[in-house]
Amino acid sequence: MHCGPPDMVCETKIVAAEDHEALPGAKKDALLAAAGAMWPPLPAAPGPAAAPPPAPGPQPRGGPEGAGPPAGRGVCIREFRAAEQEAARRIFYDGILERIPNTAFRGLRQHPRTQLLYALLTALCFAVTGSLMLTCLVPAVLLALRYYYSRKVILAYLECALHTDMADIEQYYMKPPGSCFWVAVLDGNVVGIVAARAQEEDNTVELLRMSVDSRFRGKGIAKALGRKVLEFAVLHDYSAVVLGTTAVKVAAHKLYESLGFRHMGASDHYVLPGMTLSLAERLFFQVRYHRYRLQLREE
């Protein structure tokens, strides 16, 4: 089984502190201004009246790396630290577990052929048995099987991911050039994660592993994480940011579109790491893989 970093999913090394020092001031400001103009500003966080703007002069060394609260009061987005390995894995794990009921039930609406097959099986049961009671049980059994196989495949996917890139985030994302991993921190706790990985063959950056603790959603954290990846791509002169997702929730797709991503297509034949492609699995587990792209400049 191939267990590379899968695209199941999906809030500072945008530029590390030392990288900011290396960039000439005018060039750095111009790049960040260009990046900020490419996508809409985040909504203001609710709460007390905003603090007055900072006085003119040099900004803190961290620059746009989360020295202030970009996604809401008290939220800081910065580079991953090794001590946060377990917190990041927990957020990733919990976020993917939420896909089980979504894929099993809500995701069925994306697959009309499967719906038709289940309807035919229900009708066949009535034709064979003539029992209304047994026929009424068929949809419940089919949905139960969808949940079972969704759980089976997604847990296998998690096992794969937790033993590849998410097993050692420092080694996989923080050391290779063109890759990075960020965390959103609120009151000293990690509440969100996102990663970027360069694809040198086409000079793009892939956004992946985006997840926010369910208790802190709706605060703009996911959008802030996504924007950090976009800034990273602009500052490192990549031509585009790409991502792939099997997310069922409409909110996830609206988030990507709000960041400026363009939907490039979808496939019902994506093989998720952990799938065995058995007949039962084909009948009771389906995912739709969506591809998004944000073009930053023409090659």
Side-chain angles (χ1 to χ4, degrees), residues 13-167:
K13 187 176 177 180
I14 293 310
V15 175
E18 58 271 21
D19 294 331
H20 277 287
E21 296 301 320
L23 279 172
K27 181 178 180 182
K28 175 181 70 176
D29 293 343
L31 285 170
L32 290 175
M38 296 183 66
W39 42 84
L42 294 173
Q59 296 300 308
R61 178 178 173 83
E65 289 190 52
R73 188 170 299 276
V75 177
C76 169
I77 296 180
R78 56 166 172 74
E79 291 182 26
F80 166 85
R81 297 171 184 170
E84 295 159 341
Q85 172 82 20
E86 289 308 313
R89 282 165 56 96
R90 175 189 58 78
I91 291 174
F92 170 73
Y93 184 89
D94 291 346
I96 296 299
L97 279 186
E98 294 177 11
R99 301 282 182 90
I100 294 175
N102 288 330
T103 302
F105 307 132
R106 189 179 298 181
L108 181 57
R109 294 181 296 182
Q110 298 179 344
H111 302 280
R113 291 184 180 179
T114 303
Q115 294 178 45
L116 177 60
L117 175 62
Y118 291 175
L120 290 175
L121 290 173
T122 303
L124 180 62
C125 176
F126 182 74
V128 171
T129 66
S131 170
L132 187 59
M133 180 177 294
L134 287 176
T135 302
C136 289
L137 287 175
V138 170
V141 171
L142 292 173
L143 289 176
L145 286 169
R146 284 188 65 82
Y147 184 87
Y148 170 81
Y149 279 98
S150 293
R151 185 175 186 275
K152 177 177 178 289
V153 173
I154 289 174
L155 287 178
Y157 162 82
L158 273 170
E159 184 71 12
C160 182
L162 292 174
H163 285 82
T164 51
D165 63 308
M166 295 301 290

Side-chain angles (χ1 to χ4, degrees), residues 34 51 60-61 94 126 133 140-141 189 208 247 262 275 277 289 294:
R61 178 178 173 83
D94 291 346
F126 182 74
M133 180 177 294
V141 171
N189 299 310
L208 65 167
R262 179 182 176 187
M275 293 179 67
L277 301 179
Y289 182 73
L294 194 162

